[in-house]
Amino acid sequence: MRRGWWVGVLAALALNAVADVQQSLDYRDYPVKPRSDESISDALYRASPILEAGRVFHGYTRWWVEWRFWWRETANRQCRIDRVSVEVQGEIQLPRLDGGTPSQRERFNRYREALHQHELVHYGFGLRAGREIENSLRNLPPEASCLELETRANETGYEILRDYRQLEDRYDRETEHGRTQGAWLED
């Protein structure tokens, strides 16, 4: 069951076009320079600048969703959202191998590709959150005042972000931070 659920998520995240949501994804790498007698796992642990909750990770994805909306008064003096703009920005940090033996490079390349795929799914959560925020704000019913509408719209956006952060945490728990997807090195 677990696998089937994530296959659906991966399929949904594979879509590049996300309604009218503007998106950008940047990459940042860090060098890994293994000694010839060192395992790739040890070299990554030594080189990684990514530390979260006291744990070292080899890859990391950050995403942000920003939304703006404009409203207008209706004929019956209610306030309705007229236009919505959503932007999703992301950054994926991954290791880059500098040097290494042929067997180290081969092992690293397989591992890095699995890690990259795992991190892309993390970014996809941001894209899905952005799309849901855009759709939800476009479909909010009118309010008696523009202040009430603004409050409701922002509460809606933040609630959606919380939901997607929880889904993202669940994804990491169920995949063991990518281990079940091949983003793991046994030495």
Side-chain angles (χ1 to χ4, degrees):
M1 176 71 177
R2 261 191 208 174
R3 185 176 182 102
W5 188 79
W6 287 114
V7 168
V9 169
L10 292 170
L13 298 176
L15 300 173
N16 284 335
V18 182
D20 294 331
V21 173
Q22 300 297 309
Q23 57 181 298
S24 65
L25 177 60
D26 294 319
Y27 285 87
R28 193 166 51 131
D29 61 18
Y30 62 90
V32 178
K33 299 176 183 180
R35 297 183 303 264
S36 61
D37 64 339
E38 183 178 37
S39 72
I40 290 296
S41 180
D42 288 345
L44 281 162
Y45 186 82
R46 183 174 44 82
S48 178
I50 306 164
L51 184 65
E52 183 178 297
R55 291 181 60 190
V56 173
F57 290 92
H58 302 157
Y60 194 77
T61 300
R62 295 164 187 81
W63 53 264
W64 308 264
V65 179
E66 295 179 7
W67 60 87
R68 293 177 186 82
F69 50 90
W70 295 261
W71 60 77
R72 63 178 167 80
E73 279 192 27
T74 63
N76 59 353
R77 311 270 308 149
Q78 289 186 318
C79 197
R80 168 179 222 75
I81 289 184
D82 191 42
R83 187 170 57 119
V84 177
S85 170
V86 176
E87 182 177 354
V88 178
Q89 298 172 28
E91 178 183 88
I92 295 178
Q93 188 172 15
L94 294 168
R96 179 191 73 245
L97 189 66
D98 290 347
T101 66
S103 65
Q104 286 173 325
R105 286 192 299 274
E106 180 182 328
R107 189 156 193 210
F108 175 84
N109 289 339
R110 276 194 315 269
Y111 169 73
R112 187 185 184 283
E113 181 56 31
L115 181 61
H116 181 225
Q117 292 306 310
H118 175 81
E119 296 302 329
L120 282 173
V121 173
H122 278 288
Y123 177 63
F125 283 105
L127 292 175
R128 288 179 57 208
R131 182 179 61 214
E132 188 169 328
I133 289 168
E134 180 188 41
N135 290 334
S136 295
L137 297 185
R138 283 186 192 279
N139 293 308
L140 280 178
E143 290 286 347
S145 77
C146 292
L147 180 58
E148 289 176 48
L149 181 66
E150 180 177 1
T151 299
R152 177 184 257 193
N154 285 321
E155 286 174 350
T156 298
Y158 287 119
E159 183 178 322
I160 291 168
L161 287 181
R162 278 190 302 276
D163 290 347
Y164 278 92
R165 293 291 184 197
Q166 289 174 353
L167 284 172
E168 191 174 21
D169 289 343
R170 179 179 169 191
Y171 168 67
D172 266 340
R173 281 191 312 275
E174 290 186 2
T175 65
E176 299 174 32
H177 293 277
R179 181 180 193 160
T180 63
Q181 300 166 307
W184 186 260
L185 292 166
E186 297 281 346
D187 288 327

